[in-house]
Amino acid sequence: MKRTPGMGRLEPAIFHTFNTVFMVALVIVTLYPFLNTIVVSLNAGNDTIRGGIYLWPRQWTLQNYKAVFASGTIYNAFWISVARTVLSTVLNIFLTTMLSYTLSRREYIFRKPITVIFVLTMYFSAGLIPGYFLIKDLHLLNSFWVYIFPSMISAFNMIVIRTYIGTIPESLVESAKIDGAGDFKIFMKIIFPLCTPVLATIALFVAVGAWNSWFDAFLYTSSKQDLSTLQYELMKLLSSSMNSNNNPNVAAGVGMTQDSAISLVTPLSIRAAVTVVAAVPILVVYPFMQKYFVVGLNVGSVKE
């Protein structure tokens, strides 16, 4: 069937129109939940439970954020979370990359059995109670290092980084050895810098996991307030808010003056404020790592 010249000009226009509409719809679907969460966090709690809050607050208030930051412990918890995230990310990246380089060397005779051992840890776990007793026997209970030591090596990250190292030309390593460089110098001067894209991707995953973690604080350091993390403090705040507002009359603002009703916080409004407070630090870091993140995700997609 012969195509008319008009159809040839019309098809690109149809495609670009459909592509633009689709991408705009995708952006709206992606951004709306977060924008709505910000709006709910800036709206009066008793007004939020009425519903109908979409992209603009109906009753502006900062009471939800005041309730989040009212506790003095949240500032210390913030710095504990920052220290935990930074140390966990740096140590995990460095040690996992070093392990990955070692297991990528074909002359290392134990690389296959050690790799199998690490892979098995991804499928089998001792469980919560044996893990607790292990931490206790290691004298890590109520210690800051309980946040760091268990996360220093990741089997999944090791596999990803080792695969990326396999794409680095072997001639670079051989040339360095001819010049007299040892394995550690080769790792620090050649392998580690060349792994920047995949390491940035892994670092983002590790940092987000460390920042959002609260269950280990609940298990291992709950009796020591000065080691509490930000996520654990926010979880306790949300839990206490839900318990204190389980009365439907209080939640609806029945019998209150207008000022006290506006200052009322509800589990929904607190949850929105907590979500924003917890997400902002990661959102600030992400733009600086985005270019490496995109490259890292495409590792191995093109094979020469």
Side-chain angles (χ1 to χ4, degrees):
M1 183 176 179
K2 188 176 180 180
R3 298 177 58 186
T4 61
M7 286 297 295
R9 292 191 299 268
L10 185 60
E11 286 180 358
I14 295 175
F15 172 77
H16 289 304
T17 302
F18 175 79
N19 187 51
T20 302
V21 172
F22 176 77
M23 295 304 296
V24 169
L26 184 63
V27 169
I28 293 175
V29 171
T30 304
L31 290 180
Y32 174 74
F34 188 70
L35 293 177
N36 179 255
T37 301
I38 296 177
V39 170
V40 171
S41 70
L42 293 172
N43 195 73
N46 68 307
D47 182 68
T48 300
I49 60 179
R50 293 166 47 198
I53 304 297
Y54 300 108
L55 293 175
W56 197 259
R58 204 160 39 219
Q59 294 185 17
W60 285 84
T61 182
L62 294 177
Q63 188 62 33
N64 300 316
Y65 290 98
K66 291 179 180 179
V68 171
F69 291 102
S71 173
T73 60
I74 200 169
Y75 298 101
N76 180 73
F78 171 81
W79 292 113
I80 290 292
S81 290
V82 170
R84 169 192 181 159
T85 301
V86 172
L87 281 176
S88 295
T89 304
V90 171
L91 290 176
N92 185 286
I93 291 299
F94 183 76
L95 296 178
T96 304
T97 307
M98 186 180 294
L99 174 65
S100 302
Y101 172 67
T102 302
L103 297 180
S104 70
R105 307 310 302 156
R106 296 179 180 178
E107 63 270 20
Y108 183 51
I109 60 176
F110 296 111
R111 67 188 186 97
K112 287 186 177 180
I114 293 178
T115 301
V116 170
I117 293 174
F118 273 96
V119 170
L120 288 176
T121 63
M122 299 172 60
Y123 294 96
F124 301 99
S125 174
L128 183 62
I129 296 177
Y132 179 85
F133 282 111
L134 174 62
I135 295 297
K136 182 179 180 181
D137 292 339
L138 293 174
H139 304 289
L140 292 177
L141 290 181
N142 295 319
S143 169
F144 174 77
W145 298 108
V146 75
Y147 300 140
I148 309 300
F149 289 159
S151 62
M152 287 195 301
I153 297 291
S154 169
F156 177 79
N157 295 344
M158 180 271 293
I159 294 174
V160 174
I161 298 174
R162 191 190 67 169
T163 303
Y164 185 88
I165 292 176
T167 65
I168 299 176
E170 185 66 21
S171 58
L172 294 176
V173 177
E174 293 175 354
S175 299
K177 287 185 176 180
I178 292 174
D179 292 337
D183 285 324
F184 188 76
K185 189 173 183 179
I186 293 173
F187 170 75
M188 293 299 299
K189 297 293 185 179
I190 299 177
I191 302 299
F192 200 81
L194 290 177
C195 290
T196 299
V198 70
L199 295 184
T201 305
I202 297 297
L204 184 62
F205 291 149
V206 175
V208 170
W211 180 262
N212 289 334
S213 181
W214 65 269
F215 192 60
D216 50 0
F218 170 71
L219 287 178
Y220 308 128
T221 62
S222 57
S223 61
K224 201 166 184 179
Q225 180 61 47
D226 58 347
L227 290 177
S228 182
T229 61
L230 177 64
Q231 302 296 337
Y232 184 47
E233 289 299 314
L234 295 179
M235 187 277 297
K236 291 193 296 184
L237 175 65
L238 179 60
S239 178
S240 63
S241 174
M242 294 178 67
N243 292 332
S244 62
N245 287 278
N246 55 7
N247 187 332
N249 291 329
V250 173
V254 175
M256 293 185 175
T257 64
Q258 183 177 2
D259 292 338
S260 61
I262 292 177
S263 65
L264 177 69
V265 295
T266 62
L268 183 61
S269 61
I270 283 291
R271 183 171 60 195
V274 164
T275 302
V276 173
V277 171
V280 164
I282 294 297
L283 292 178
V284 171
V285 173
Y286 179 78
F288 298 100
M289 306 182 69
Q290 183 179 10
K291 60 179 180 178
Y292 298 110
F293 182 73
V294 173
V295 175
L297 286 180
N298 289 301
V299 170
S301 61
V302 179
K303 185 177 181 180
E304 296 182 357

